[in-house]
């Protein structure tokens, strides 16, 4: 998985070959082929692995309240790390997203990730409503869809036109604070300040 | 431009060849090469042409008020047409967005389109504030960035995981109506109902 990740970052999706993955690992191309039919099969396994890691990572989020935890999740999604490989991975992932309509396995993996992200956001909003921190007149499911869409857009604009993801983070922080928090929840109470 | 558009929709970005474009036009591959150095040059010209068309198209928007016009713009961006070619174009465009970090001309064209969209949304929000329809305590520039990010996300999720764009339209309509309209502007007054 590490070798596939490294090779994908280095070469991008379109020009990636099995040999590039072998070059990043201690295994030969023949050995890789013994376990995985094609570079596609390795990429499916990689997306599956990354989704599982993400699921584990976002199970426990920093923050005192669900609102804080939501912002931790947003921050983690938007700036998972500062190294170059992460930048290149975002770009390769956008290439893979563009394969969605043509490749059912990619679409299935991408859909699983999308549902995981959406579901986690929804459950945080529901927990916030139960705690009285989040407005009860918002629909947690639709709002989670909205935030998931914003997060996708932030990644796309970052890759396409170098739009800074920290600007999206700031906009989402404003959105959460102004539009989603219950009126009687003070910033201190919800731990945002 | 029509032939380039048709060939791009049919073959996608990665596997597009000059011959594919010639096949869609009345010109030979040699004639195309006489005018355009490469398929890249044709694609740059296509993006430039599409940006100009979009600019012209959104100069006049349906709707009585800036808030209505904003929703017309959103609707036009999210569902420009129902035919298959549009679907395929969205996918090809996502592939091209993934080239942003590697291709300066693509990035320049994509940036021009992004600025055009953002600028039009901002000017509608400013006009709405001048008319007293849009809340004065929102920042038109930041809010326009937010909406531009949402629109990018809607396209990406649609291509990647088949998320319905009309759901994003509904979410943006709620966002505009609930969060951006001035409190004393009734739905009837702004023409939304």
């Amino acid at each position: 998985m590490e070798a596939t990740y490294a090779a994908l970052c280095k070469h991008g999706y379109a020009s990636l070959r099995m040999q590039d993955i072998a070059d990043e690992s201690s295994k030969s191309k023949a050995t890789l082929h013994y376990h995985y039919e094609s570079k596609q099969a390795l990429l499916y396994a990689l997306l599956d692995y990354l989704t599982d890691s993400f699921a584990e990572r976002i199970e426990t989020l920093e923050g005192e309240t669900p609102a804080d935890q939501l912002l931790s999740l947003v921050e983690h999604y938007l700036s998972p790390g500062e190294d170059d490989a992460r930048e290149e991975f975002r770009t390769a992932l956008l290439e893979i997203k563009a394969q969605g309509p043509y490749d059912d396995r990619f679409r299935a993996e991408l859909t699983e990730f999308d549902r995981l992200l959406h579901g986690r956001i929804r459950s945080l909003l529901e927990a916030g409503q139960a705690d009285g921190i989040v407005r009860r007149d918002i629909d947690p499911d639709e709002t989670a869809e909205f935030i998931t869409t914003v997060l996708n857009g932030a990644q796309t604009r970052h890759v396409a036109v170098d739009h800074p993801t920290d600007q999206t983070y700031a906009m989402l922080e404003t959105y959460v604070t102004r539009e989603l928090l219950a009126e009687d929840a003070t910033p201190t109470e919800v731990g945002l300040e």
Side-chain angles (χ1 to χ4, degrees), chain A residues 1-3 10 27 71 73 93 112 121 129 180 183:
Chain A
M1 291 301 96
E2 273 172 32
K10 197 180 278 183
K27 307 271 186 279
L71 290 174
L73 172 58
L93 188 59
E112 200 190 325
I121 296 171
Q129 284 182 324
L180 301 186
E183 293 203 3

Side-chain angles (χ1 to χ4, degrees), chain A residues 17-187:
Chain A
R17 298 161 310 146
M18 204 70 160
Q19 185 59 55
D20 300 324
I21 302 171
D23 289 347
E24 298 291 329
S25 83
S26 55
K27 307 271 186 279
S28 72
K29 195 177 144 188
T31 308
L32 288 181
H33 268 298
Y34 179 80
H35 295 286
Y36 295 93
E37 204 183 332
S38 61
K39 72 158 193 179
Q40 291 301 103
L42 267 160
L43 289 171
Y44 302 146
L46 176 65
L47 287 192
D48 203 44
Y49 170 79
L50 291 173
T51 302
D52 288 349
S53 308
F54 187 72
E56 213 171 287
R57 182 80 180 260
I58 65 176
E59 229 170 79
T60 48
L61 290 161
E62 272 182 48
E64 294 290 308
T65 71
D68 280 341
Q69 288 160 10
L70 174 57
L71 290 174
S72 292
L73 172 58
V74 165
E75 190 175 15
H76 177 66
Y77 181 91
L78 290 178
S79 33
E82 296 303 314
D83 52 304
D84 284 354
R86 297 286 183 170
E87 284 294 309
E88 289 155 2
F89 179 69
R90 288 178 187 187
T91 304
L93 188 59
L94 199 60
E95 283 187 90
I96 288 173
K97 286 180 178 176
Q99 299 301 312
Y102 306 118
D103 187 314
D104 290 345
R105 282 292 300 275
F106 274 145
R107 171 153 283 175
E109 296 292 346
L110 293 167
T111 301
E112 200 190 325
F113 187 92
D114 190 88
R115 280 188 192 152
L116 170 73
L117 181 61
H118 169 262
R120 190 71 177 100
I121 296 171
R122 187 186 55 213
S123 73
L124 288 168
L125 291 170
E126 285 166 348
Q129 284 182 324
D131 288 0
I133 288 165
V134 170
R135 279 164 60 166
R136 286 186 192 274
D137 62 343
I138 63 132
D139 184 313
D141 191 71
E142 283 175 17
T143 306
E145 289 285 7
F146 192 57
I147 295 173
T148 303
T149 299
V150 174
L151 292 177
N152 270 265
Q155 297 285 27
T156 300
R157 284 183 86 200
H158 181 70
V159 171
V161 303
D162 202 20
H163 185 73
T165 50
D166 54 2
Q167 200 174 317
T168 303
Y169 178 80
M171 292 188 293
L172 274 174
E173 194 177 22
T174 304
Y175 174 70
V176 169
T177 311
R178 281 179 43 160
E179 321 299 354
L180 301 186
L181 294 186
E183 293 203 3
D184 49 356
T186 63

